[in-house]
Amino acid sequence: MAESVAIPDRRQRRRQESIEEILDVALELMAEQGVAGLSLGEVARQLGIRPPSLYVYFASKNALYDAAFARGAKEIYDLYLDASQQVIATAQSADEALLRMGSIFIRWAIDHPVYAQLLFWRPVPGFEPTPEAYQPAVALMELGAELFAAMQDRRWLRSDVAADDLLRDWTIVISGIISQQLSNEPEVDFTSGRFTAALPSIVTMYVAANGVTTPARKPARKSTTTSATKESRRAHPR
Amino acid sequence: MAESVAIPDRRQRRRQESIEEILDVALELMAEQGVAGLSLGEVARQLGIRPPSLYVYFASKNALYDAAFARGAKEIYDLYLDASQQVIATAQSADEALLRMGSIFIRWAIDHPVYAQLLFWRPVPGFEPTPEAYQPAVALMELGAELFAAMQDRRWLRSDVAADDLLRDWTIVISGIISQQLSNEPEVDFTSGRFTAALPSIVTMYVAANGVTTPARKPARKSTTTSATKESRRAHPR
DNA sequence: GTCTATATGACGATAGAC
DNA sequence: GTCTATCGTCATATAGAC
């Protein structure tokens, strides 16, 4: 009896391999022809199968986009998790921490423009990521909030502004670098980009306004030279 | 003799009207279905004609995108030209000038998400704007360079950094706000957006680092990016 | 279970009649 | 300048071979 259903995991593993293989090809083609220019026929052609066979593994073209989105979100989340732990453990200043985090994040985005466009822009009409695919992106934001709260705790960043606002402004400047680099110099890599090169000055700018030593934001009025007057209000207290 | 070619401008005016009308419909549809999701069949349907008739006015779908790009570029250029003249004439500080310029630019982008995506992102696979369509965008950058040079001359912005670098960093933060707002809260307008609301704090941040009173950037050492060991190197000296 | 064969309808684009 | 007719390709759906 057990024999007839003996090796379901083998089949499933085989199936999973096929899914990953299709995804690999699809991502390659998106890199060549643009994210929204993906053709299932071309995917099938590259794999040596007929287009309808793809529907065994993906219910629709958008399901393929969703899987790509999920893979990219997971990848950047893992990378960011690892990086933030290292940075929290070893960084000596806000400048250093932000430079390292920004560098890792931006480098990944420029190295993976397809993921970056899929995750940060909306290039595919009609496609919305499912909550499952989107989940790592949410976790990524929470990770960011924790990191910024930790920097506030260390008095690296001012505490009279909510960590959420600090993080929002940080995402603005980082996504600004990525967005400008990808749209103005799409073929240039992280090392030689004109906009990626702005990261140090952008970090300095950020810290000039949000570091504890230089409260340049609309003054909190209550002398914020050292600490907050009535405690910080943070999104993810520890 | 003159009679046989008597009214060419009438025909041409009529033709131009048709072109504008087609463009209007196309932009509406892009707003509804996404920039890359434009369908020529749907455009023709809305106009009560057959799809092939569109080819009398536009050589291809990309030619239509090109015309849309040109129209958007011209519109934002005119807006920016007007605004920068007013700001140069009346603003009293870097903070005020940048807040006004940023506000006008971002508001336009959020109010015209189709133009913004077409101009600032690359949502349509295979489409590259022609030099003619792109020209106002170049002029816009030159306008920005002049504005920043003028602010340096007034000692509103530090002069130990090239105006081009100041402008580059400014485009980064502004495009960051636009990019984040359009991708995270696409349906929210300028007034209520979470990221558009960050403009004042972003401007303060920018001025904290690049205003003359607070040189927070890595002190004018041997320059951060390339050469230029001394003096400011500006793109458009006056 | 996995694939092929085949079909449908929409798409961008072209040719040619009127 | 507009039409009809048509082509090749696309995403997608279904039926059925192995």
Side-chain angles (χ1 to χ4, degrees):
Chain A
M1 251 200 188
E3 282 182 22
S4 62
V5 205
I7 35 171
D9 49 345
R10 167 126 101 194
R11 247 204 311 268
Q12 205 156 7
R13 202 180 57 230
R14 186 88 181 78
R15 178 182 168 81
Q16 193 57 35
E17 281 172 12
S18 298
I19 288 179
E20 299 296 329
E21 197 179 352
I22 293 170
L23 211 41
D24 289 337
V25 172
L27 286 164
E28 259 178 51
L29 289 174
M30 286 189 234
E32 291 168 17
Q33 309 167 355
V35 177
L38 178 67
S39 150
L40 294 189
E42 189 59 34
V43 173
R45 209 166 296 128
Q46 297 260 341
L47 289 166
I49 61 174
R50 291 325 123 200
S53 300
L54 293 173
Y55 284 80
V56 174
Y57 306 98
F58 293 98
S60 68
K61 194 180 182 182
N62 276 353
L64 221 170
Y65 280 124
D66 202 55
F69 188 104
R71 202 198 250 186
K74 177 152 182 22
E75 207 174 279
I76 183 60
Y77 172 79
D78 290 344
L79 182 66
Y80 204 85
L81 177 61
D82 195 56
S84 74
Q85 284 171 347
Q86 284 189 20
V87 164
I88 286 181
T90 65
Q92 300 292 321
S93 68
D95 247 277
E96 187 198 335
L98 291 174
L99 198 56
R100 283 169 60 184
M101 292 307 293
S103 190
I104 286 166
F105 196 88
I106 295 171
R107 173 167 250 134
W108 181 84
I110 303 301
D111 284 349
H112 303 84
V114 169
Y115 284 148
Q117 290 173 55
L118 213 45
L119 289 168
F120 308 136
W121 297 350
R122 310 226 157 199
V124 184
F127 166 65
E128 284 273 344
T130 58
E132 302 86 68
Y134 197 75
Q135 190 269 327
V138 175
L140 185 67
M141 273 301 128
E142 287 168 3
L143 222 58
E146 283 175 27
L147 178 62
F148 274 72
M151 290 199 285
Q152 283 182 321
D153 286 346
R154 293 186 184 186
R155 296 176 183 263
W156 286 359
L157 294 181
R158 58 194 307 185
S159 290
D160 60 334
V161 175
D164 275 359
D165 286 356
L166 291 180
L167 179 58
R168 177 202 59 188
D169 291 2
W170 176 248
T171 66
I172 284 176
V173 298
I174 293 302
S175 82
I177 293 175
I178 295 170
S179 166
Q180 285 289 82
Q181 186 62 48
L182 285 183
S183 37
N184 290 92
E185 298 179 341
E187 301 298 319
V188 179
D189 71 3
F190 176 85
T191 318
S192 4
R194 186 165 105 82
F195 297 94
T196 50
L199 178 61
S201 91
I202 293 288
V203 166
T204 305
M205 183 187 307
Y206 185 87
V207 175
N210 297 310
V212 282
T213 52
T214 318
R217 205 188 275 237
K218 205 159 276 180
R221 295 289 180 211
K222 300 270 187 157
S223 96
T224 56
T225 44
T226 51
S227 70
T229 47
K230 30 175 152 178
E231 270 311 322
S232 59
R233 38 195 171 106
R234 298 197 260 95
H236 292 83
R238 282 253 135 159
Chain B
M1 245 195 189
E3 281 183 22
S4 61
V5 205
I7 34 171
D9 51 346
R10 169 126 99 194
R11 248 205 309 270
Q12 206 157 8
R13 204 181 57 230
R14 186 88 181 78
R15 179 183 165 81
Q16 194 56 36
E17 281 173 13
S18 297
I19 288 179
E20 299 297 329
E21 198 180 353
I22 293 170
L23 210 42
D24 289 337
V25 172
L27 286 164
E28 261 179 51
L29 289 173
M30 286 189 234
E32 292 169 15
Q33 309 168 355
V35 176
L38 178 67
S39 150
L40 294 188
E42 188 59 34
V43 173
R45 207 167 297 125
Q46 297 260 341
L47 290 166
I49 60 175
R50 294 315 126 195
S53 300
L54 293 173
Y55 285 80
V56 173
Y57 305 99
F58 293 97
S60 69
K61 193 181 182 181
N62 276 355
L64 222 169
Y65 280 124
D66 202 55
F69 188 103
R71 202 198 250 188
K74 175 149 184 23
E75 207 175 280
I76 184 60
Y77 172 78
D78 289 344
L79 183 66
Y80 204 84
L81 176 61
D82 194 56
S84 73
Q85 284 171 347
Q86 283 188 22
V87 163
I88 285 181
T90 64
Q92 300 293 322
S93 69
D95 248 277
E96 187 199 335
L98 291 173
L99 198 56
R100 282 168 62 184
M101 293 307 293
S103 189
I104 286 166
F105 196 88
I106 295 171
R107 171 168 251 132
W108 181 85
I110 304 301
D111 283 351
H112 304 84
V114 170
Y115 285 147
Q117 289 174 55
L118 214 43
L119 289 167
F120 309 136
W121 297 351
R122 312 228 155 196
V124 184
F127 166 64
E128 285 271 345
T130 58
E132 303 87 69
Y134 197 75
Q135 190 269 327
V138 175
L140 185 67
M141 272 302 129
E142 288 169 0
L143 221 59
E146 285 176 26
L147 178 63
F148 274 72
M151 291 199 286
Q152 283 182 322
D153 286 346
R154 294 188 185 187
R155 296 178 181 262
W156 287 359
L157 294 181
R158 58 193 308 181
S159 290
D160 60 334
V161 175
D164 275 359
D165 285 356
L166 291 179
L167 179 58
R168 178 202 58 189
D169 290 2
W170 175 249
T171 67
I172 284 175
V173 298
I174 293 302
S175 82
I177 294 176
I178 295 171
S179 169
Q180 285 288 81
Q181 185 63 47
L182 284 182
S183 38
N184 290 93
E185 297 180 342
E187 301 298 320
V188 179
D189 70 4
F190 176 84
T191 319
S192 4
R194 186 165 106 82
F195 297 94
T196 50
L199 178 60
S201 93
I202 293 288
V203 166
T204 305
M205 182 187 305
Y206 185 87
V207 175
N210 296 310
V212 283
T213 53
T214 320
R217 203 189 275 236
K218 205 162 279 177
R221 233 181 281 168
K222 298 273 186 172
S223 97
T224 49
T225 51
T226 54
S227 55
T229 49
K230 55 182 175 180
E231 269 311 315
S232 67
R233 43 197 165 109
R234 299 200 258 96
H236 294 81
R238 283 256 135 158

